[in-house]
Amino acid sequence: MIFDFDQHLFEYPDMWRDHVDPDKKDLALEMTRDELGYPWLWSRVANQLMWIYAKTVPEDGFVSFFGPWQNWKDRKPAEVDYVADMPASCTDPKARVAQLDELGVDKSILFPHFGAVWGRYVHDRLDIIRANLTAWNRWAVTVRQEGAGRLEPTGHVTLRGGDLGWLENELSYLSKNGIKAAFVSYGLVDGRRMSHPDHDRAWKAFVDNGIVPVFHIQDADVRASCLEEGWFSGAIDPLFAALDMAFSHLGVQIAAADLILNGVFDKFPELKFATVELTAGWINPLIGVTEGIPGSTGNVVNGPGLDISYRYEALARRNSVQLKRQPSDYLRDHFRSTVNPMEPVKAYVDSGLEDVVMFGSDWPHSEGFLSPLTTYKPITDALTPDQNAKLLGGTAVELLGIS
């Protein structure tokens, strides 16, 4: 099976209003047009423009992605009706199934598109966030039902709010309707680390419902780097600042290390995460070296790694949490990561990440690939048949527990 673990489904303009709970219609996101003719994702109740509603095209040099934004910033009228210009394969489940045939893909996960960006514009309005995440989750179930067994849309949830009852209800609903994964932000949760004991209920709910939490490089709540917003004061672009991109691996490394070093996987040994569009380049540097002490190792960007740091803590005083295994063992066993064809995938496999890496096309984003299997061919040619079987689908299928 060829399983693509990185595709996005664009929310059609009325998706949120069509699927939000009836008593929360006033909180639903919608589309509006500005005086230049650009269609925007918009929160009426917050009076907040969020994102220009436009398609993206793989391998177009980001013209489709950034072109409308640049024209809008230059105060140029919209060149086309961007809503009418949206291909059916971006928004319609049945058209996406047909697109899978063109791509040579048997099955695909589907992440939200606008759902990856709008949350930061209403970060202080948990009521808006929850209402519209619920709307996506309802649509995700419909998409799966219309996907002829080939589409695996994810849910979209948040740990924020203190009371985890909302999260538990959403995960239960998703699970009962066959959804196997859920998009969730990484980083501090209302000021609490992800491993905080208050979140044990959340991780238990993921495990009990058979749902894999997914970390994506661009998410609704926090920057990829997880750096504090003070670092970005004065940044022109609220989402894609250069400083954030320079440290785009930092956030997921901190989140993974926190979950590992604070014993979450000893409490929940069946809990596994997927990371998407973060490359797999963050994993081995976090594993680090096997000998030395902090400060003595070179050629490592972010420190000596998990195992040495854990041992040094024990020598210096005592470990905050006694783990049953070496920290690096948890990283290899509990995290799976998509890769792209520009990465040294064979080197990853040879280093022990054979069961970690997964194929992903990022279709239909501009950084995605028009013919992903062709683009991946130099990688697959270098791997054994068994290694390719895992990379191209076996690891994803096992992670999600699907046939």
Side-chain angles (χ1 to χ4, degrees), residues 91-102:
T91 60
D92 180 73
K94 294 179 182 177
R96 179 58 62 90
V97 170
Q99 184 67 41
L100 294 188
D101 292 334
E102 292 188 25

Side-chain angles (χ1 to χ4, degrees), residues 79-307:
E79 297 176 329
V80 298
D81 183 337
Y82 289 108
V83 175
D85 193 45
M86 182 71 70
S89 56
C90 285
T91 60
D92 180 73
K94 294 179 182 177
R96 179 58 62 90
V97 170
Q99 184 67 41
L100 294 188
D101 292 334
E102 292 188 25
L103 297 173
V105 170
D106 298 309
K107 207 173 180 77
S108 179
I109 205 163
L110 294 175
F111 302 112
H113 172 73
F114 297 104
V117 296
W118 61 256
R120 201 169 307 157
Y121 293 92
V122 287
H123 187 267
D124 60 343
R125 290 292 303 269
L126 187 61
D127 56 342
I128 297 175
I129 291 173
R130 283 181 170 177
N132 289 283
L133 295 185
T134 293
W136 164 270
N137 291 338
R138 301 304 178 264
W139 188 45
V141 169
T142 299
V143 169
R144 188 175 187 275
Q145 292 168 347
E146 296 179 358
R150 299 178 64 185
L151 303 180
E152 296 288 347
T154 71
H156 195 175
V157 295
T158 180
L159 273 63
R160 291 182 58 201
D163 176 13
L164 293 171
W166 177 88
L167 172 69
E168 290 169 331
N169 289 338
E170 292 297 307
L171 293 177
S172 176
Y173 171 82
L174 292 167
S175 178
K176 289 175 182 177
N177 287 280
I179 303 296
K180 299 293 187 180
F183 204 73
V184 64
S185 292
Y186 53 95
L188 294 177
V189 181
D190 295 333
R192 298 183 303 275
R193 54 187 165 86
M194 301 202 81
S195 65
H196 194 283
D198 286 357
H199 301 150
D200 284 355
R201 270 180 63 188
W203 306 130
K204 183 178 186 301
F206 277 101
V207 172
D208 289 349
N209 287 288
I211 291 181
V212 175
V214 179
F215 294 157
H216 185 274
I217 187 170
Q218 179 65 43
D219 62 47
D221 282 3
V222 297
R223 295 180 181 273
S225 64
C226 287
L227 293 173
E228 293 289 340
E229 284 302 307
W231 290 104
F232 304 97
S233 60
I236 295 175
D237 192 321
L239 295 177
F240 297 103
L243 182 63
D244 191 41
M245 298 297 288
F247 293 95
S248 57
H249 286 167
L250 182 61
V252 71
Q253 288 178 318
I254 293 172
D258 165 61
L259 292 163
I260 291 168
L261 294 172
N262 286 301
V264 169
F265 298 111
D266 282 342
K267 294 179 184 177
F268 305 103
E270 296 179 9
L271 179 64
K272 291 188 177 182
F273 289 78
T275 69
V276 176
E277 290 184 49
L278 286 152
T279 78
W282 65 272
I283 299 174
N284 280 333
L286 187 57
I287 292 173
V289 295
T290 57
E291 297 179 356
I293 60 173
S296 71
T297 56
N299 301 319
V300 179
V301 173
N302 60 319
L306 286 169
D307 293 350

